[in-house]
Amino acid sequence: MSEETMRLGRERRYLVLLGAICLALIGGALYMQIVLGEAPCPLCILQRYALLLIAIFAFIGAAMRTRRSITVFETLVVICAVAGVGVAGHHVYTQFYPTVSCGIDVLQPIVDGLPLAKIFPLGFQVDGFCSTPYPPILGLSLAQWALVAFVLVVILVPLLTSRNRKALR
């Protein structure tokens, strides 16, 4: 087995781990929604979409065999994470300034019109307000945790990829 194959294998394992973490985060959100009764707002649902797309692209990237194809999917992962940073950042802002709330009426028809809201309404349909304060987890709101997760993906995926690829040279 060549060193490049071993190095790309490491990237594939990182991608599988990232995909599994994203699915676990969606599962945690569903648990909080179903069991704890925390209704998801439009921004929550958009963050779920970003996590789902990151997971899908990570798993597809992990199945790729060439460096170029893995890079394409790692790039798509980072793009989705940047979008997640934007949505989660706006959500955090909305929670700090509730008068700026996205409002259920503004984004709800758009988010509820997305395909997964019809296929899996329990997980992807709007049911709450963005400014609703839920109890923090380890001192941070869910929106803040989502922001941390997306920022970590934006930083770590390129960092780990570049470190791994430099070792190939």
Side-chain angles (χ1 to χ4, degrees), residues 32-54:
M32 296 179 87
Q33 174 185 342
I34 297 164
V35 176
L36 302 179
E38 297 185 7
C41 71
L43 296 175
C44 296
I45 300 298
L46 291 175
Q47 291 167 64
R48 289 181 191 182
Y49 274 104
L51 287 169
L52 183 62
L53 287 172
I54 290 169

Side-chain angles (χ1 to χ4, degrees), residues 5-157:
T5 304
M6 288 176 25
R7 292 283 177 177
L8 290 179
R10 180 182 295 159
E11 282 183 45
R12 285 189 201 97
R13 287 190 299 276
Y14 289 152
L15 289 170
V16 168
L17 178 61
L18 175 60
I21 289 169
C22 288
L23 292 181
L25 290 171
I26 293 170
L30 289 171
Y31 171 83
M32 296 179 87
Q33 174 185 342
I34 297 164
V35 176
L36 302 179
E38 297 185 7
C41 71
L43 296 175
C44 296
I45 300 298
L46 291 175
Q47 291 167 64
R48 289 181 191 182
Y49 274 104
L51 287 169
L52 183 62
L53 287 172
I54 290 169
I56 289 169
F57 291 141
F59 288 139
I60 294 172
M64 295 293 118
R65 293 287 168 225
T66 66
R67 185 188 315 190
R68 177 175 284 165
S69 57
I70 292 171
T71 302
V72 167
F73 285 97
E74 288 169 337
T75 303
L76 291 171
V77 162
V78 172
I79 289 168
C80 292
V82 167
V85 166
V87 173
H90 182 66
H91 198 176
V92 169
Y93 178 81
T94 299
Q95 288 182 335
F96 276 113
Y97 301 100
T99 57
V100 185
S101 177
C102 66
I104 201 165
D105 297 329
V106 177
L107 285 176
Q108 181 181 7
I110 297 167
V111 175
D112 284 348
L114 295 173
L116 283 179
K118 290 172 183 24
I119 296 168
F120 183 43
L122 177 67
F124 291 93
Q125 214 164 44
V126 174
D127 197 25
F129 294 97
C130 297
S131 57
T132 303
Y134 289 111
I137 300 169
L138 299 174
L140 296 178
S141 71
L142 285 177
Q144 289 169 324
W145 279 116
L147 181 59
V148 167
F150 288 125
V151 167
L152 284 174
V153 171
V154 169
I155 293 170
L156 291 178
V157 169

